[in-house]
């Protein structure tokens, strides 16, 4: 057996343990009886320990050293080189963090999440504050341990968007904001209104499930290799190379929650299902970054699912499923309703324009927290000020403000920007697909989603981690990350919906 | 830390890995997408390997040796002694079997099950035959390795009913058959018929689920610590100390399948939920044998669920759930219908009398296979002859004959007798509960199941593996295992239903 093969087998087995853990977490969030929670946490902790041991072991160090000999001089984007390079990268990052710090971060994250649940319920930020303060100290310590280019935040961002750096993202986001804010103002001052009330009619859960299954299947989520279930906070997860689980939640008096949620998660799922299954668990068969992952969900949710041709195709099917709720409406009205724009307090309910403003606020605040220019105690005030300044609204209480998201309580600083990176990437990829596929709009209006899905698979999914996200976007579109495709798309859509 | 505490922590962690594996297997049999099967098998195999390693490791050998020092002279039925004794027992059994044999048995069992699925579909025993021949050779080798008292079958039985021996079971079963056969003949010659047709009306799945949930909850299955789901071959499994999953399947044109199946699995579940949770994963907190486990399911299914007082209480509730299907019927008619007796080909559909005859046939055949007095090639003929002789019917093909059960294909020889042991034990325990609780019949007719459940918990569940099943039945009832309670109950019931 070659050293490379030995390394690959080892990495694959570690991934298998991770997929076991994913199965436990899927169950926890879908079907697990309530009293089972504490033992489930122990099971997941046990597996995490085994996985961490394997990922930082001297056995792995030896396998890596030997395999590096095997790939000397091979092209960097080939599979073998990618397996060694990415495994080395993870090994170095993990072994630089002391075991004590790993455990403290895990513990503080678990306690922090519990505190967050209660703090949000009580709308009392002070209940979360001490955990957040501790998280920031621990994450700064972690950043120092792993090292960074120019600021602490670089090290955190790298966990979710490997190879990206804070300065570049800040520049992109800043120019994005400069264009989104005036676009939002033009929409708000338009006399035209989107008929959002048709989405607030009665949509029975059972029928919503049928519509979601139909749409997910239609765009190409493979139900022989996946499932759709109900949960509180929807997610997509992989339990194996042919086992992708997506989830949603139903609101009988609002159509969009489940429908676009399902398209979104199906988009993540189509990415996972498009990875190279023969390399499952190895870097060339794994998603490259959270931003790229998010680009796939946003592309199907927004660029396909909220497009006029999609509704031309889907509306007759929707009518058959919801004869009552769709009465007196049209494809065009649905297209306009699902693209309604209005500043609101809650990120996960935001429209395509303001969503990115929600993210930019968080991205700025978390940098300030991390470089200690903002005290945790002052975070709620800073949050509210920023919302007033950017979106013109102020949360009535912290539950709908600074406490709305789980991320910070679980120490996931550096995650938020990947959502807007995903929006930008989605638009940039979609524009290229339109160029490459010719009549994409026509295809969508005829319900032909396969050419697009195959394009995405070939261009993005099957490349796994052979390229960084920055390399990938250049390779696929010939350009670096750009705000133009997203903005051009939004300007055009706002013209169609609001006549601005 | 004492040596005993160290041992207990080790054993608990092994049990935690087993519970993880149970979670994967539950998912496999309920919600897993079809294409995920082969990777799931790899995941389970990986965990089995880790578990087997832990259970046979030199670390465990050292922990055991040290802990044995801690419990010298302590009473054998106390927790500490039980932890050490039972762990030692398992360690000795497992380490006596060569690794090569373990792997061959696993492989042959997996291949055998696949062959069985196809053989059953094709009704072609020859497709299974070579696997069965190999299984018998391997199991004989295993029996030689672990040792036995007087025959190979002793060693196999010991895996499911520790401490039991073949001769004693054969004697008990023989006298049981001598009484069941004439009782069956009396029933068959009676002019009275049970109104089984009322069970074959239309019972919609959704309402059956409601009825099953109601009944399971009523007898005390705790849904905060468990679930009921749908599967092909119903089972009960534990995913943790507060996580018991039961399953059922629905047949819209036969009421009994799901209803009594659910009561049966809920009975298993109530046993699991009644174990001492603080000792989860340790022998005093684990079920003692398959026979005792089965006694708990049969007790709730047959002695409670098929009793007249149960139907007096439950029938008005059933009427509310199935107003149409219950029209023109009564509690008494349901009581009689669910106790209909008739020889039939399929074990899992058999009534309370013939069920045990199905088992006795299998028990005899598997002994003959194991001591090589019956060739595998002659098994189908032997099966059919025995059915004609004991039940007066002959299978039209092997699919409804020798191929109906999965057990032999997966090398589970020695398992079948525990079903009838369970029936005997259930009746013996129930008789004692009637004696101890006084008006048990009255309690059941009032829907008061808690006193019985608490009696079972105190007398049986909470004793875990502190006693063998033979010791337990003596301790609880003051008698050794006896056929009388079961027979007396059946004679009395047949008198009520058939007037014989």
């Amino acid at each position: 057996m070659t050293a490379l093969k030995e390394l690959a087998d080892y990495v694959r087995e570690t991934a298998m343990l991770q997929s076991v853990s994913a199965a436990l977490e899927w169950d926890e969030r879908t079907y697990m009886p309530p009293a089972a929670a504490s033992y489930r946490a122990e099971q997941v902790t046990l597996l995490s320990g085994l996985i961490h041991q394997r990922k930082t072991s001297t056995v792995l160090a030896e396998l890596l050293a030997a395999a590096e000999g095997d790939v000397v001089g091979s092209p960097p984007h080939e599979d073998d080189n990618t397996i060694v390079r990415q495994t080395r990268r993870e090994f170095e990052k993990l072994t630089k963090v002391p075991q004590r710090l790993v455990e403290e971060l895990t513990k503080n994250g678990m306690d922090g999440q519990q505190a967050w649940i209660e703090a949000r319920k009580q709308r009392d930020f002070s209940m979360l504050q001490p955990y957040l303060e501790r998280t920031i100290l621990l994450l700064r310590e972690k950043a120092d341990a792993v090292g960074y280019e120019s600021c602490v935040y670089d090290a955190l961002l790298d966990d979710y968007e490997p190879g990206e750096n804070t300065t570049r993202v800040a520049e992109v986001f800043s120019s994005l904001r400069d264009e989104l804010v005036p676009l939002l103002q033009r929409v708000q001052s338009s006399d035209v209104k989107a008929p959002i009330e048709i989405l607030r009619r009665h949509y029975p859960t059972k029928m919503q499930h049928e519509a979601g299954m139909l749409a997910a299947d239609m765009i190409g989520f493979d139900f022989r290799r996946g499932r759709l279930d109900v949960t509180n906070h929807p997610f997509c997860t992989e339990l194996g190379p042919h086992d992708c689980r997506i989830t949603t939640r139903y609101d009988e008096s609002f159509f969009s929650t489940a429908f676009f949620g399902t398209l979104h998660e199906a988009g993540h799922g189509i990415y996972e299902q498009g990875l190279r299954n023969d390399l499952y668990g190895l870097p060339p068969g794994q998603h490259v970054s959270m931003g790229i992952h998010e680009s796939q969900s946003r592309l199907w949710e927004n660029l396909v699912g909220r497009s006029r041709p999609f509704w031309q195709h889907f509306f007759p099917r929707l009518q058959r499923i919801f004869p009552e709720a769709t009465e007196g409406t049209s494809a065009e009205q649905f297209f306009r309703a699902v693209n309604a724009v209005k500043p609101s307090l809650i990120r996960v309910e935001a429209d395509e324009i303001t969503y990115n403003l929600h993210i930019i606020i968080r991205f700025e605040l978390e940098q300030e927290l991390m470089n200690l220019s903002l005290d945790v105690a002052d975070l709620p005030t800073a949050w509210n000020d920023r919302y007033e300044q950017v979106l013109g609204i102020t949360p009535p209480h912290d539950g709908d403000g600074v406490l709305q998201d789980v991320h910070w309580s679980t120490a996931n600083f550096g995650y938020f920007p990947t959502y807007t990176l995903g929006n930008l990437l989605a638009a940039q990829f979609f524009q290229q697909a339109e160029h490459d596929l010719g009549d994409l709009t026509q295809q969508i209006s005829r319900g032909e989603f396969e050419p697009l899905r195959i394009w995405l698979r070939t261009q993005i999914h099957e490349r796994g981690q052979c390229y960084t996200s920055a390399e990938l976007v250049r390779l696929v579109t010939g350009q670096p990350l750009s705000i133009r495709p997203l903005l051009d798309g939004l300007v055009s859509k706002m013209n169609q919906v609001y006549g601005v």
Side-chain angles (χ1 to χ4, degrees), chain A:
Chain A
M1 189 153 49
T2 65
L4 187 70
K5 170 85 170 61
E6 273 190 80
L7 174 69
D9 285 349
Y10 184 95
V11 172
R12 238 188 259 267
E13 195 167 303
T14 309
M16 196 177 279
L17 284 174
Q18 287 180 290
S19 71
V20 169
S21 192
L24 294 184
E25 289 169 77
W26 171 83
D27 178 73
E28 182 176 345
R29 296 173 69 177
T30 51
Y31 295 107
M32 189 185 76
S38 72
Y39 193 74
R40 178 57 49 88
E42 287 185 60
Q43 291 170 317
V44 171
T45 304
L46 173 64
L47 287 174
S48 301
L50 292 175
I51 292 162
H52 191 263
Q53 252 171 40
R54 288 183 64 92
K55 287 190 167 188
T56 55
S57 71
T58 50
V59 175
L60 178 57
E62 285 161 21
L63 290 172
L64 261 173
E68 276 160 348
D70 278 11
V71 296
V72 164
S74 78
H77 303 302
E78 282 192 355
D79 292 345
D80 291 351
N81 200 303
T82 300
I83 291 172
V84 177
R85 179 185 70 245
Q86 294 293 88
T87 307
R88 165 65 70 191
R89 184 182 192 282
E90 188 184 32
F91 177 80
E92 293 300 325
K93 266 194 103 159
L94 291 178
T95 49
K96 279 178 183 162
V97 185
Q99 184 60 26
R100 178 216 28 101
L101 183 53
V102 173
E103 284 164 17
E104 278 187 69
L105 268 165
T106 306
K107 174 93 175 62
N108 194 60
M110 284 166 70
D111 295 346
Q113 185 169 9
Q114 290 310 310
W116 169 73
I117 290 168
E118 204 50 37
R120 191 189 187 195
K121 204 186 287 168
Q122 308 280 334
R123 304 170 175 181
D124 179 359
F125 180 78
S126 72
M127 296 168 74
L128 178 62
Q129 188 179 326
Y131 297 96
L132 233 42
E133 284 166 348
R134 180 123 190 84
T135 297
I136 287 162
L137 289 180
L138 293 171
L139 285 179
R140 285 180 57 88
E141 197 186 334
K142 183 182 163 189
D144 285 338
V146 298
Y148 47 83
E149 210 176 316
S150 56
C151 62
V152 165
Y153 194 84
D154 276 343
L156 308 179
L157 186 58
D158 190 76
D159 279 349
Y160 308 102
E161 204 60 28
E164 200 45 271
N165 77 70
T166 313
T167 312
R168 202 170 87 101
V169 174
E171 279 167 16
V172 171
F173 282 14
S174 166
S175 50
L176 179 63
R177 172 164 50 182
D178 290 348
E179 303 222 30
L180 286 180
V181 170
L183 177 60
L184 176 60
Q185 283 163 353
R186 289 205 300 281
V187 168
Q188 285 189 279
S189 58
S190 167
D191 292 335
V192 182
K193 299 290 165 215
I196 193 165
E197 63 285 354
I198 63 175
L199 306 176
R200 301 206 176 275
R201 295 180 180 178
H202 181 64
Y203 292 88
T205 293
K206 203 181 151 197
M207 309 287 100
Q208 285 199 51
H209 180 70
E210 194 187 317
M213 292 287 288
L214 176 67
D217 178 66
M218 184 181 279
I219 64 171
F221 181 81
D222 183 350
F223 281 98
R224 286 165 310 154
R225 302 171 58 211
R227 291 185 53 85
L228 169 62
D229 295 277
V230 176
T231 192
N232 281 327
H233 298 280
F235 63 97
C236 165
T237 186
E238 271 285 309
L239 279 58
H242 301 286
D243 196 351
C244 179
R245 313 273 174 114
I246 60 174
T247 53
T248 193
R249 63 195 163 104
Y250 296 101
D251 177 348
E252 294 211 322
S253 57
F254 191 48
F255 172 77
S256 297
T257 306
F259 189 77
F260 291 104
T262 301
L263 282 182
H264 180 99
E265 301 305 337
H268 281 303
I270 288 168
Y271 183 15
E272 293 286 342
Q273 292 185 334
L275 295 170
R276 289 161 62 193
N277 297 309
D278 54 323
L279 294 171
Y280 181 82
L282 295 174
Q286 277 177 315
H287 73 265
V288 57
S289 75
M290 294 316 297
I292 296 290
H293 223 311
E294 197 68 11
S295 78
Q296 301 304 293
S297 58
R298 301 290 168 147
L299 186 145
W300 289 105
E301 176 193 1
N302 291 335
L303 296 163
V304 175
R306 285 191 161 92
S307 73
R308 186 179 262 155
F310 178 85
W311 285 96
Q312 287 165 349
H313 173 72
F314 196 72
F315 185 70
R317 286 153 184 86
L318 195 77
Q319 280 181 303
R320 280 199 285 280
I321 298 173
F322 299 105
E324 289 177 31
T326 57
E327 212 181 303
T329 67
S330 64
E332 183 64 16
Q333 277 186 297
F334 261 82
F335 162 64
R336 293 181 56 231
V338 302
N339 285 297
V341 166
K342 193 182 174 195
S344 64
L345 292 167
I346 307 296
R347 174 182 63 86
V348 297
E349 295 166 6
D351 57 77
E352 278 185 84
I353 293 179
T354 59
Y355 189 93
N356 299 301
L357 300 172
H358 286 270
I359 293 302
I360 293 170
I361 292 171
R362 286 159 176 75
F363 172 65
E364 291 175 354
L365 290 172
E366 61 183 16
Q367 286 177 76
E368 291 165 27
L369 288 168
M370 273 305 146
N371 66 28
L372 305 183
S373 65
L374 173 63
D375 280 350
V376 173
D378 299 329
L379 178 59
T381 310
W383 178 286
N384 292 353
D385 289 352
R386 218 67 62 104
Y387 263 75
E388 188 55 47
Q389 184 190 325
V390 177
L391 286 161
I393 49 179
T394 299
H397 54 75
D398 289 341
D400 283 351
V402 69
L403 291 172
Q404 69 183 266
D405 294 309
V406 69
H407 304 58
W408 290 340
S409 76
T410 51
N412 294 119
F413 283 77
Y415 194 114
F416 280 125
T418 68
Y419 292 125
T420 281
L421 289 173
N423 285 331
L424 295 167
L425 289 163
Q428 195 163 341
F429 289 141
F430 193 77
Q431 194 181 64
Q432 187 63 38
E434 280 182 308
H435 175 268
D436 291 355
L437 296 172
D439 65 344
L440 183 53
T441 300
Q442 288 303 311
Q443 289 171 15
I444 292 175
S445 69
R446 289 194 302 265
E448 293 164 14
F449 301 103
E450 205 180 347
L452 175 59
R453 197 176 69 251
I454 289 173
W455 185 91
L456 291 166
R457 196 172 71 203
T458 318
Q459 295 294 324
I460 298 161
H461 309 172
E462 290 182 346
R463 286 185 164 129
Q465 297 182 357
C466 293
Y467 300 83
T468 66
S469 58
E471 288 168 347
L472 189 64
V473 69
R474 264 187 191 276
L475 182 69
V476 175
T477 70
Q479 305 286 330
L481 177 69
S482 159
I483 62 168
R484 287 272 45 102
L486 179 67
L487 279 169
D488 291 350
L490 288 175
V491 165
S492 157
K493 204 186 252 183
M494 290 309 110
N495 178 262
Q496 296 169 54
V497 177
Y498 287 100
V500 297

